[in-house]
């Protein structure tokens, strides 16, 4: 791919060039295409694709069901990626993908996000393809699967129909199945959507997307690591006046702020935590603080989610150690705390092990957590039972109409909206941006309270 | 000479407690006893053979660096952790264990490079020190079942609640074999409150984290932290074949024939209310509640109150007026809630989790982490597992025989070591050899082909 300044010479070269446009025009992005891109388009196309990926991220964090995601992806694609000329549409698709690879190859966190969103996008676009082009894509990924022979099919037919019925399909079994090692369809195994026997998964034609997606994901994952190497080794320096500023701006503009470093050198001190929790912590964090004070213990998931949040809110490492030690030592003794738990706290602050400065969890990550026995982390709107959630909101002083509105959002799986409405009810002010990060909740809340304080003070002055 | 020293040590212990039974040693756990255990009883050879997976230098196709890239972690007295220990021979491992006398030995993954030398590789920048192989492991703790057992809580376990662990073994073992096609599965008593499972097939050792998580999720039915009332929900018109089989083969029988009675699940209002809370239809729940509250006195009949109430609950949910799918499923949901395995998911999902080695001694109970035979797990009784002091007592009682090759043959550890060898290690090593052989032949063939070509 060659990026040129402005003269117009866009060839629809994506086809042969490994963009791999299937019949329906779903590329596999295996090789960067041989085509020229104007600098403006470089940026504009990328922004449009980012809009799609952001939309997908929002959909996932709301816990949308597959059918809803399919519809969402279709709409997002139509809204942002269409071009009046079909050949251009394919080019735009491929160009924007490769630009974003540059943008999102640079840190582990960025790669993970991009990989996950691109894979989801591909998954639902694949589902929208015709069987014919699905088969073409399969062969493009060199999936050597042969459909199950009739005799073998008859032997397991009952089990296949049983599985089909558990996922709400009719009992009449599809006729084409592929028998593959279970390792190749982890998502189907995880959700028990396949029949397993002796290490093989029986994948229906309608589920073949999982096989393809595993390949797709694997390819992109490897490619991102390579791109990163090229970026740091050469491109970043070569392009420092041209592409580098665009690439860097792109990741900031849409990824949302990074809360690993508290903004504006805000600091919170140990003695203020309980007061701040009451006024400015989102429900998930209030709940964990409460449980920590009550049990003098939090399990791993809770320590990560809550500990990183406190770090992001501005709690210094020494204070964090003192904070956790004060509680844990009541339960396990300070000696055991120093031996078993202090390490992971320093680790979170980048002082041990890989020395990565870990980023506080976003709502999306928290919502997709799977708390188990004894766990208190996760998103209350998603993981609490209705009774418990009502009680917790009551405790925050929320009742009546606002409470019912929140519960309504929860029922429709709009967990972040429910949290946003809780923010609004608790602060008596509207929050147009919406809540998508617990640290954002915290800093917005602090902003509101400071403004109120100032208003009160200036009133007192006059 | 060493033999004489050992003997002297053992004699001393015996001497201390002459007044009690001659063979008894105090029921304590301490470093001195542990030292004797590691010196005389711990099956170093079998243990190391297991973790070598056939890469023991005898076959030309084997990977000699393999076992030396495995992480061992020792926990010494006073909770001192020694992580990233590694050994390239059984002699090196044995002498380190004997010298350091770890209170606990954990086994970690096989890394890309020798974990003891990881710092030397750290400089190169690229992350070359990464886990590359690890058994698929499961960790089940009975303390995770505290809301459904009334005999014990926390780390305690008794013969009334132990069946919850038997259920876990039966269900996971069957599925790992039948669904996932694994063959080399080792079940181990954790020494106190649960069981560990090691799936050792080479296919299992090579799984990536995503695939491990998928298997753990396949087994996960029990959900939802501390803050939801209903922890099990089974949607869909029918159950997945795995769950259906688990229910009819294991869960239903254990619930109705064992736990219902042993845990007295319906004996008090508090207990049956917890079950009634799982019924989505409030009318049915309150009807049953009223009925049971009313007939408290008349329930002194011969029929057990738990069994009677369970039957009443079932017929209320299955009766004509509640034929709705949701309510019938509710019976299964109750049974699953009270019986289905609860895994520590994080342990299974990642390659680099440590897990306590078999044949360790649990410092709190003094019991040996012995293998459990999944085919006869009904007979396993955690309260009769040999303890450290018991073993040393047996060793003393047997005196000094020269006819047996191993000291463990003279103690009740014999059964466990023999089982480990015959049922787990030998078939495993046979499979490893076959795999080495065929991989080696394929490689030979390939190089031959390229030569002729």
């Amino acid at each position: 791919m060659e990026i040129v300044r402005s003269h117009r010479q866009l060839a629809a070269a994506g086809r042969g060039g490994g963009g791999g446009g299937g019949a329906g025009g779903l590329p596999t992005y295996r090789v960067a295409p041989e085509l020229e891109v104007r600098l403006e388009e470089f940026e504009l196309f990328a922004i449009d694709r980012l809009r799609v990926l952001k939309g997908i991220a929002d959909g996932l964090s709301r816990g949308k069901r597959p059918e809803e995601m399919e519809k969402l992806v279709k709409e997002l694609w139509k809204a942002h990626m269409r071009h009046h000329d079909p050949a251009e549409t394919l080019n735009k698709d491929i160009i924007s993908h490769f630009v974003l690879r540059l943008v999102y190859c640079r840190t582990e966190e960025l790669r993970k996000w991009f990989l996950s969103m691109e894979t989801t996008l591909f998954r639902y676009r694949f589902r929208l393809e015709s069987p014919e082009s699905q088969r073409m894509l399969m062969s493009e990924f060199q999936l050597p699967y042969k459909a199950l022979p009739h005799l073998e099919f008859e032997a397991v037919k009952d089990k296949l129909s049983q599985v089909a019925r558990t996922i709400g399909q009719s009992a009449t079994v599809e006729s084409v199945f592929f028998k593959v090692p279970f390792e190749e369809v982890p998502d189907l195994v995880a959700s028990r959507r396949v029949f397993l026997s002796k290490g093989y998964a029986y994948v229906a034609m309608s589920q073949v997307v999982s096989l393809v997606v595993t390949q797709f994901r694997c390819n992109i994952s490897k490619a991102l690591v390579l791109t990163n190497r090229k970026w740091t080794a050469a491109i970043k320096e070569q392009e420092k006046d041209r592409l580098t500023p665009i690439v860097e701006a792109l990741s900031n503009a849409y990824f949302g702020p990074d809360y690993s470093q508290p903004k504006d050198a805000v600091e919170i001190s140990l003695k203020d935590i309980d007061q701040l929790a009451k006024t400015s912590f989102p429900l998930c964090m209030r709940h964990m603080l409460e449980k920590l004070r009550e049990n003098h213990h939090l399990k791993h998931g809770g320590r990560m989610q809550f500990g990183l949040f406190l770090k992001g809110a501005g709690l210094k490492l020494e204070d964090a150690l003192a904070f956790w030690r004060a509680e844990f030592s009541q339960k396990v003794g300070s000696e055991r705390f120093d031996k078993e738990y202090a390490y992971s706290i320093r680790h979170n602050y980048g002082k041990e092990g890989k020395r990565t400065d870990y980023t506080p969890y976003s709502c999306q990550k928290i919502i997709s957590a799977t708390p188990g026995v004894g766990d208190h982390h996760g998103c209350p709107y998603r993981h609490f039972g209705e009774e418990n959630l009502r009680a917790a909101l009551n405790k925050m002083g929320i009742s009546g109409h606002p409470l019912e509105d929140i519960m309504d959002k929860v029922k429709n799986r709009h967990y972040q909206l429910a949290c946003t409405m809780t923010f609004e009810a608790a602060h008596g002010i509207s929050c147009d941006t919406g809540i998508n990060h617990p640290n954002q909740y915290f800093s917005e809340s602090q902003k509101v309270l400071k403004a109120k304080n100032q208003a009160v003070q200036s009133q007192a002055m006059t | 000479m060493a033999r004489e020293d050992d003997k002297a040590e053992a004699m001393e212990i015996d001497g201390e407690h002459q007044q009690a039974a001659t063979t008894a040693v105090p029921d304590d756990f301490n470093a001195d006893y542990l030292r004797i255990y590691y010196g005389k009883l711990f099956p170093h050879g079998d243990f190391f053979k297991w973790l070598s997976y056939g890469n023991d230098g005898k076959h030309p196709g084997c990977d000699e660096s393999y076992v030396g890239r495995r992480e061992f972690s020792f926990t010494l007295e006073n909770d001192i952790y020694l992580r990233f220990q590694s050994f390239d021979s059984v002699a090196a491992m044995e002498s380190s264990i004997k010298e350091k006398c770890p209170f606990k030995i954990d086994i970690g993954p096989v890394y890309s490079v020798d974990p003891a030398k990881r710092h030397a590789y750290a400089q190169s920048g690229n992350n070359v020190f990464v886990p590359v192989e690890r058994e698929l492991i499961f960790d089940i703790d009975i303390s995770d079942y505290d809301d459904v057992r009334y005999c014990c809580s926390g780390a305690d376990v008794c013969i009334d609640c132990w069946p919850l662990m038997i259920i876990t073994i039966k269900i996971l073992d069957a599925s790992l074999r039948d669904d996932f096609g694994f063959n080399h599965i080792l079940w181990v008593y954790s020494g106190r409150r649960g069981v560990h499972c090691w799936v050792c097939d080479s296919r299992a050792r090579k799984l990536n984290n995503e695939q491990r998580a998928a298997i753990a999720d396949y087994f996960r039915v029990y959900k939802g932290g501390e803050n939801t009332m209903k922890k099990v929900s089974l949607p869909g018109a029918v159950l997945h074949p795995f769950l259906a089989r688990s229910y009819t083969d294991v869960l239903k029988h254990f619930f109705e024939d064992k736990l219902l009675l042993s845990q007295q699940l319906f004996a008090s209002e508090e207990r049956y209310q917890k079950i009634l809370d799982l019924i989505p239809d409030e009318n049915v729940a309150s009807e049953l509640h009223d009925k049971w509250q009313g007939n408290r006195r008349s329930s002194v009949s011969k029929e057990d109150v738990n069994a009677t109430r369970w039957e009443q609950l079932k017929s209320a949910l299955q009766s004509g007026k509640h034929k709705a799918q949701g309510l019938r499923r509710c019976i299964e949901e109750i049974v699953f809630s009270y019986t289905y395995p609860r895994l520590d998911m994080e342990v299974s999902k990642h390659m680099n989790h440590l897990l306590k080695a078999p044949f360790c001694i649990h410092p709190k109970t003094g019991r040996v982490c012995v293998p459990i035979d999944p085919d006869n797990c009904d007979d396993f009784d955690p309260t009769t597992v040999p303890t450290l002091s018991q073993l040393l007592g047996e060793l003393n009682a047997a005196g000094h025989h020269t006819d047996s090759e191993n000291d463990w043959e003279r103690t009740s550890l014999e059964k466990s070591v023999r089982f480990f060898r015959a049922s787990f290690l030998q078939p495993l090593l046979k499979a490893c050899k076959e795999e080495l052989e065929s991989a080696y032949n394929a490689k030979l063939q390939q190089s031959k082909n390229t030569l002729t070509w």
Side-chain angles (χ1 to χ4, degrees):
Chain A
M1 212 158 84
E2 188 185 341
I3 295 108
V4 296
R5 214 162 262 283
S6 195
H7 71 108
R8 193 168 172 82
Q9 196 200 358
L10 274 176
R15 299 199 174 257
L26 177 54
T28 55
Y29 316 109
R30 286 202 303 205
V31 193
E34 306 261 336
L35 47 78
E36 290 185 340
V37 185
R38 288 182 305 143
L39 204 52
E40 314 76 286
E41 290 186 334
F42 180 86
E43 189 169 10
L44 288 176
F45 287 180
I47 289 175
D48 278 340
R49 193 180 191 90
L50 258 184
R51 292 202 172 104
V52 175
L53 299 186
K54 284 296 280 184
I56 290 174
D58 284 348
L60 288 176
S61 69
R62 285 181 184 170
K64 282 192 187 288
R65 278 189 290 260
E67 315 83 70
E68 295 167 314
M69 281 305 291
E70 190 173 300
K71 197 165 149 247
L72 177 72
V73 166
K74 199 172 171 180
E75 281 163 5
L76 285 167
W77 193 260
K78 208 166 145 190
H80 302 296
M81 295 300 288
R82 285 265 282 251
H83 202 284
H84 50 85
D85 175 0
E88 293 283 297
T89 306
L90 184 59
N91 279 344
K92 180 175 178 181
D93 183 359
I94 294 168
I95 291 165
S96 60
H97 171 88
F98 279 96
V99 174
L100 289 185
R101 265 196 204 178
L102 277 182
V103 176
Y104 284 89
C105 73
R106 295 167 307 139
T107 70
E108 178 74 36
E109 198 77 8
L110 292 173
R111 283 196 294 271
K112 244 167 120 178
W113 185 83
F114 180 70
L115 183 60
S116 160
M117 295 317 138
E118 278 287 336
T119 308
T120 310
L121 173 62
F122 185 82
R123 170 184 295 274
Y124 291 103
R125 288 182 70 198
F126 183 88
R127 283 163 60 125
L128 295 165
E129 293 285 309
S130 68
E132 174 60 23
S133 71
Q134 286 189 350
R135 238 167 258 145
M136 274 171 64
L137 280 159
M138 274 183 83
S139 62
E140 197 175 331
F141 280 111
Q142 293 168 322
L143 290 168
Y145 302 106
K146 296 224 165 60
L148 201 60
H150 185 70
L151 260 179
E152 218 179 323
F153 172 73
E154 285 299 318
V156 293
K157 198 172 159 192
D158 288 348
K159 301 286 181 197
L160 299 179
S161 115
Q162 203 176 336
V163 176
R165 288 177 64 204
T166 65
I167 48 180
Q169 292 169 354
S170 72
T172 48
V173 188
E174 292 179 52
S175 53
V176 181
F177 275 80
F178 301 89
K179 184 177 166 185
V180 304
F182 76 84
E183 288 94 332
E184 313 213 343
V185 282
D187 59 324
L188 296 180
V189 172
S191 50
R192 290 192 293 266
R193 275 178 291 146
V194 275
F195 173 61
L196 288 182
S197 179
K198 294 289 171 203
Y200 288 97
Y202 291 77
V203 179
M205 185 61 205
S206 64
Q207 295 175 316
V208 120
V209 58
S210 292
L211 281 169
V212 179
V213 161
T214 302
Q215 293 295 321
F216 177 82
R217 194 188 163 89
C218 178
N219 291 349
I220 303 283
S221 176
K222 280 183 199 148
L224 278 171
V225 174
L226 288 178
T227 311
N228 182 38
R229 255 179 235 161
K230 276 189 221 154
W231 172 263
T232 41
I235 309 174
K236 190 179 179 183
E237 189 50 36
Q238 282 165 15
E239 293 285 344
K240 72 174 189 296
D241 299 325
R242 202 171 65 136
L243 294 187
T244 306
I246 301 179
V247 163
E248 274 164 7
L250 272 171
S251 68
N252 293 334
Y254 273 88
F255 196 54
D258 167 16
Y259 288 96
S260 63
Q261 301 299 332
K263 271 193 298 188
D264 317 324
V266 186
E267 256 182 65
I268 63 173
S269 74
L270 212 46
K271 60 177 182 358
D272 299 334
I273 289 182
D274 289 275
Q275 186 51 39
L276 286 171
K278 230 175 261 164
T279 58
S280 297
F281 281 14
L283 183 54
C284 53
M285 303 301 170
R286 287 168 69 112
H287 174 67
M288 280 191 288
L289 178 64
E290 196 179 298
K291 288 295 160 188
L292 175 66
R293 296 277 191 226
E294 195 179 303
N295 305 330
H296 314 300
H297 194 271
L298 271 184
K299 293 182 89 172
H300 177 76
R303 297 198 298 274
M304 291 299 287
Q305 183 180 326
F306 188 41
L308 289 171
F309 166 78
L310 289 175
K311 181 179 96 162
L315 192 67
K316 290 265 169 291
L317 172 60
E318 301 77 60
D319 286 345
L321 283 167
F323 170 75
W324 291 100
R325 182 182 294 118
E327 288 300 335
F328 272 56
S329 59
Q330 296 178 49
K331 173 133 182 176
V332 302
S334 54
E335 206 177 314
R336 232 187 106 195
F337 173 82
D338 288 339
K339 272 178 194 142
E340 289 177 34
Y341 299 99
Y343 178 91
S344 73
I345 292 163
R346 287 197 299 273
H347 194 266
N348 281 351
Y349 280 76
K351 302 294 179 204
E352 299 277 2
K354 279 197 289 183
R355 298 190 177 254
T356 320
D357 206 357
Y358 285 86
T359 331
Y361 292 177
S362 65
C363 289
Q364 197 198 331
K365 183 166 172 109
I366 291 170
I367 289 168
S368 57
T370 50
V373 185
D375 277 333
H376 290 288
H377 66 279
C379 171
Y381 304 98
R382 163 119 198 233
H383 297 112
F384 278 25
E386 188 182 333
E387 294 298 303
N388 287 355
L389 182 57
R390 279 178 183 277
L393 289 167
N394 270 323
K395 234 168 139 184
M396 288 180 75
I398 296 166
S399 57
H401 249 307
L403 177 64
E404 295 313 316
D405 288 346
I406 293 169
M407 296 310 292
D408 193 52
K409 290 287 174 248
V410 169
K411 268 182 211 115
N412 292 307
R413 302 193 310 282
H414 298 309
Y415 309 117
Q416 286 176 243
L417 285 180
C419 189
T420 308
M421 291 171 77
T422 308
F423 181 95
E424 289 173 343
H427 294 80
I429 197 163
S430 77
C431 172
D432 299 331
T433 48
I435 299 297
N436 52 46
H437 200 295
N439 288 88
Q440 175 216 356
Y441 185 111
F442 176 73
S443 62
E444 299 272 336
S445 166
Q446 286 289 293
K447 241 187 271 165
V448 172
L449 294 176
K450 277 199 190 112
K452 272 190 190 160
N453 263 340
Q454 272 164 7
V456 171
Q457 271 171 8
S458 61
Q459 235 168 18
M461 301 273 266
T462 48
Chain B
M1 290 303 273
R3 215 167 248 279
E4 283 302 311
D5 288 350
D6 287 348
K7 197 184 163 196
E9 241 178 306
M11 292 293 283
E12 244 172 58
I13 293 154
D14 198 16
E16 268 173 43
H17 286 265
Q18 286 276 318
Q19 311 90 310
T22 38
T23 56
V25 278
D27 215 12
D28 284 331
F29 174 90
N30 68 52
D32 292 333
Y33 297 169
L34 196 56
R35 207 172 292 280
I36 302 171
Y37 176 75
Y38 285 133
K40 287 172 166 283
L41 298 175
F42 187 82
H44 298 279
D46 297 285
F47 187 81
F48 198 79
K49 251 189 220 157
W50 161 36
L51 294 171
S52 300
Y53 291 104
N55 293 294
D56 51 7
K58 281 174 202 140
H59 193 280
C62 75
D63 174 0
E64 285 181 57
S65 78
Y66 182 85
V67 70
R69 289 185 276 121
R70 170 79 72 165
E71 176 189 359
F72 292 84
S73 159
F74 291 169
T75 310
L76 307 186
E77 200 171 359
N78 303 321
D79 285 339
I80 297 164
Y81 293 93
L82 299 178
R83 285 203 58 187
F84 302 115
Q85 309 290 299
S86 65
F87 311 105
D88 52 13
S89 70
V90 64
M93 182 192 81
E94 188 168 347
S95 74
S96 177
I97 290 178
K98 282 178 178 167
E99 181 216 326
K100 302 209 169 76
C101 192
F103 276 33
K104 187 165 150 239
I105 302 172
D106 282 292
I107 302 175
V110 176
Y111 285 93
S112 48
V113 296
D114 180 351
K117 300 187 186 118
R118 68 196 180 286
H119 294 302
Y121 296 97
Q123 265 87 46
S124 71
N126 287 331
N127 233 344
V128 288
F129 178 63
V130 286
V132 290
E133 261 195 39
R134 208 273 183 278
E135 292 79 9
L136 172 65
I137 52 176
F138 298 95
D139 180 9
I140 304 96
D141 249 359
I142 198 142
S143 48
D144 285 339
Y145 291 74
D146 279 359
D147 62 320
V148 294
R149 60 183 187 144
Y150 300 109
C151 49
C152 309
S153 67
D156 296 329
V157 59
C158 73
I159 205 67
D160 280 338
C161 53
W162 183 256
L164 290 164
M165 293 294 108
I166 301 176
I167 293 171
T168 293
I169 296 175
K170 284 176 186 271
I171 289 192
L172 294 197
D173 197 72
S175 175
L176 288 168
R177 287 174 205 276
D178 299 342
D179 300 350
F180 292 97
F182 296 127
N183 296 308
H184 305 286
I185 302 170
L186 177 68
W187 287 95
V188 184
Y189 174 49
S190 74
R192 191 184 192 186
R193 58 179 176 189
V195 291
H196 296 160
C197 174
W198 300 77
V199 186
C200 303
D201 297 58
S202 67
R203 198 172 163 189
R205 284 180 273 136
K206 293 189 173 101
L207 294 168
N208 64 29
N209 285 343
E210 190 194 7
Q211 292 157 343
R212 284 163 204 267
I215 297 175
D217 278 325
Y218 182 81
F219 289 136
R220 194 165 88 112
V221 169
Y222 184 86
K223 293 193 180 157
E226 287 303 289
N227 298 294
T228 48
M229 193 101 88
K230 198 171 161 191
K231 317 260 183 190
V232 170
S233 90
L234 303 168
V238 292
L239 292 180
H240 185 277
F242 157 63
L243 295 180
R245 196 181 62 210
S246 300
Y247 182 74
T248 47
D249 292 359
V250 183
L251 301 178
K252 186 166 183 287
H253 150 71
F254 268 86
F255 183 86
E256 296 191 335
D257 301 343
K258 287 220 159 80
L259 296 164
L260 199 54
L261 245 91
S262 70
Q263 297 299 332
Q264 295 282 306
L265 294 180
F266 285 85
S268 70
E269 181 176 357
E270 192 199 342
R271 289 185 192 181
Y272 65 65
Q273 188 56 50
K274 243 168 78 181
I275 296 174
L276 293 177
D277 284 342
L278 301 176
I279 300 176
D281 185 322
E282 279 173 33
N283 291 332
V284 180
S286 67
E287 219 171 86
L288 286 166
H289 180 267
D290 294 346
K291 186 173 184 176
W292 295 341
Q293 216 181 19
N295 72 0
R296 213 178 317 160
R297 300 208 168 275
S298 62
S299 67
V300 265
S301 68
K302 276 175 225 150
E303 276 286 299
D304 176 76
V305 65
N306 299 290
T308 315
R309 287 176 176 170
W310 174 241
E311 288 307 321
Q312 287 168 344
L313 182 146
K314 278 202 290 188
S315 65
L317 290 177
Q318 285 165 332
S319 75
K321 36 178 182 162
H322 306 298
K323 260 224 162 75
Q325 192 64 250
L327 287 190
R328 312 196 66 176
R329 182 52 53 77
C330 184
I331 297 169
E332 288 159 355
E333 286 176 344
I334 293 170
V335 173
F336 271 88
S337 302
Y338 279 78
T339 55
Y340 188 84
R342 301 176 179 188
L343 308 179
D344 184 339
M345 300 287 286
E346 293 307 313
V347 174
S348 306
K349 282 182 173 178
H350 303 286
M351 268 191 171
N352 51 4
H353 239 280
L354 296 169
L355 191 65
K356 184 160 56 167
F359 294 108
C360 278
I361 310 276
H362 195 291
K364 293 271 164 46
T365 60
R367 294 195 191 281
V368 188
C369 302
V370 290
I372 300 174
D373 178 0
D375 294 333
N376 294 298
C377 60
D378 294 277
D379 304 331
F380 184 86
D381 178 355
T383 64
T384 62
V385 169
T387 63
L388 178 55
S389 54
Q390 180 196 336
L391 292 178
L392 297 193
E394 288 166 359
L395 208 54
N396 286 343
H400 186 65
H401 287 285
T402 41
D403 54 333
S404 55
E405 197 181 317
N406 295 297
D407 286 310
W408 51 257
E409 288 176 1
R410 294 180 282 136
T411 69
S412 39
L413 198 60
E414 177 181 18
K415 206 179 75 179
S416 299
V417 177
R418 292 217 185 281
F419 170 78
F420 181 78
R421 270 189 192 172
S423 302
F424 170 69
L425 191 56
Q426 279 161 11
L428 171 69
L429 294 182
K430 190 168 167 257
C432 289
K433 288 266 147 65
E434 282 165 10
E435 273 170 39
L436 271 177
E437 191 72 37
S438 66
Y440 182 69
N441 288 341
K443 220 163 117 192
L444 278 187
Q445 198 59 46
Q446 206 185 6
S447 60
K448 227 189 251 165
N449 287 348
T450 39
L451 272 180
T452 49
W453 189 72

